[in-house]
């Protein structure tokens, strides 16, 4: 298996699904919300929420819709499934914040292998940055809740940059933020097309954090836990 060379300068980390358990928090929030609507959570409802989130977040990531509108589109699909009417934009915005986001925040947590990864990065003596396809207010709040503020170097968000991964300019911005050559930078993330294929297309090395065993079977640069990161830093 190939490895980044000994002159690695920096590691760029993803946030959601990498350091922060977005999937777990989102699923628990949907469970709480569905029960508040007088229904019982089901696999079909989980799948519907996840599918709507993936599709409409991708549309925002690709610059096709504003961030607030991608959230509204998720609710327009999901609310009828739990017997709720679909209101106008102002109602949808309030529902997303007051009914989903507050429950989502209540379940925020990091993965138990994050400290191991940060220890490995420190031992390797390389710079670290965080690059996330989110909006700054929420992503910085996650880092604060996880006790990671100030510990992962510069934090770059798609909301601030005006572009999102997998655009090469975004990866290059993260490298520039820590003064690293893209060819000597390793990107770590859980979304294979975005975090691995995208990073490599931008000239970085990349390793896929495949926590759930859902990634391509032929991906050689792969780990199932951040505890394995040290291997990729040598």
């Amino acid at each position: 298996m190939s490895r980044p060379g000994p002159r690695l300068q920096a590691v760029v980390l993803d946030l959601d699904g990498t350091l922060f358990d977005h999937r777990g928090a989102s699923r628990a929030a949907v469970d709480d919300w569905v029960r508040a609507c007088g229904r019982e959570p089901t696999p079909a409802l989980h799948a519907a929420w996840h599918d709507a989130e993936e599709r409409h977040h991708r549309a925002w990531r690709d610059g096709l819709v504003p961030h607030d509108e991608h959230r509204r589109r998720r609710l327009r699909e999901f609310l009828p499934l739990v017997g709720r009417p679909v209101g106008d934009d102002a109602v949808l915005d309030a529902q997303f914040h007051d009914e989903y986001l507050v429950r989502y925040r209540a379940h925020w947590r990091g993965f138990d292998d994050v400290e191991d990864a940060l220890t490995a990065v420190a031992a390797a003596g390389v710079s670290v940055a965080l690059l996330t396809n989110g909006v700054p207010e929420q992503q910085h709040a996650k880092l604060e809740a996880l006790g990671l503020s100030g510990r992962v170097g510069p934090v770059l968000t798609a909301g601030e940059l005006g572009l999102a991964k997998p655009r090469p300019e975004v990866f290059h911005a993260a490298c520039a933020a820590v003064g690293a050559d893209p060819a000597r930078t390793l990107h770590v993330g859980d979304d294979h097309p975005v975090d691995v294929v995208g990073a490599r297309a931008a000239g970085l090395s990349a390793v896929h954090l495949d926590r759930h065993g859902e990634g391509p079977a032929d991906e050689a640069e792969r780990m199932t836990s951040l505890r394995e990161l040290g291997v990729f830093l040598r």
Side-chain angles (χ1 to χ4, degrees):
M1 184 184 297
S2 63
R3 294 282 185 262
R7 299 182 65 193
L8 188 70
Q9 292 178 323
V11 174
V12 177
L13 300 170
D14 175 52
L15 179 57
D16 293 333
T18 301
L19 306 181
F20 169 76
D21 186 5
H22 166 73
R23 181 184 294 197
S26 178
R27 184 183 180 93
V30 169
D31 283 352
D32 292 347
W33 189 17
V34 168
R35 291 189 179 103
C37 293
R39 304 290 181 93
E40 278 301 310
T42 65
L45 287 174
H46 289 145
W49 179 261
H50 177 74
D51 177 64
E53 179 182 49
E54 288 289 307
R55 283 187 290 103
H56 297 305
H57 188 270
R58 188 183 311 119
W60 169 72
R61 185 191 77 200
D62 293 343
L64 302 178
V65 296
H67 194 262
D68 287 345
E69 178 59 22
H70 109 271
R71 289 175 165 179
R72 294 173 193 134
R73 291 184 178 191
R74 289 158 63 181
L75 292 191
R76 291 184 188 115
E77 292 185 16
F78 188 74
L79 288 172
L81 301 180
V82 291
R84 299 288 297 278
V86 177
D88 61 21
D89 287 357
V91 170
L92 292 173
D93 291 344
Q95 283 179 305
F96 196 92
H97 182 274
D98 297 338
E99 299 187 30
Y100 173 71
L101 277 185
V102 293
R103 293 179 169 91
Y104 176 56
R105 290 182 67 110
H107 293 285
W108 281 1
R109 69 176 188 272
F111 292 104
D112 62 6
D113 53 8
V114 172
E115 287 298 326
D116 298 270
L118 297 182
T119 298
V121 171
V126 298
S127 300
V128 61
L130 188 139
L131 180 61
T132 170
N133 277 354
V135 290
E137 297 83 0
Q138 185 173 74
Q139 303 305 72
H140 282 281
K142 289 175 182 175
L143 292 172
E144 181 70 27
L146 272 51
L148 296 176
S149 292
R151 300 186 60 201
V152 288
V155 176
L156 294 87
T157 69
E160 291 170 302
L161 294 170
L163 295 170
K165 296 182 285 185
R167 291 285 294 269
E169 302 96 318
V170 176
F171 293 103
H172 294 162
C175 295
V178 291
D181 181 347
R184 295 166 63 185
T185 300
L186 176 68
H187 189 268
V188 180
D190 68 299
D191 187 325
H192 192 269
V194 172
D195 292 316
V196 178
V197 177
R200 290 173 182 161
L204 289 72
S205 300
V207 57
H208 184 211
L209 177 58
D210 191 8
R211 292 188 180 279
H212 306 286
E214 299 169 345
D218 61 351
E219 174 55 64
E221 303 297 306
R222 173 183 173 272
M223 58 186 177
T224 58
S225 167
L226 286 175
R227 293 188 177 92
E228 303 168 55
L229 180 60
V231 175
F232 295 86
L233 303 181
R234 292 195 288 269

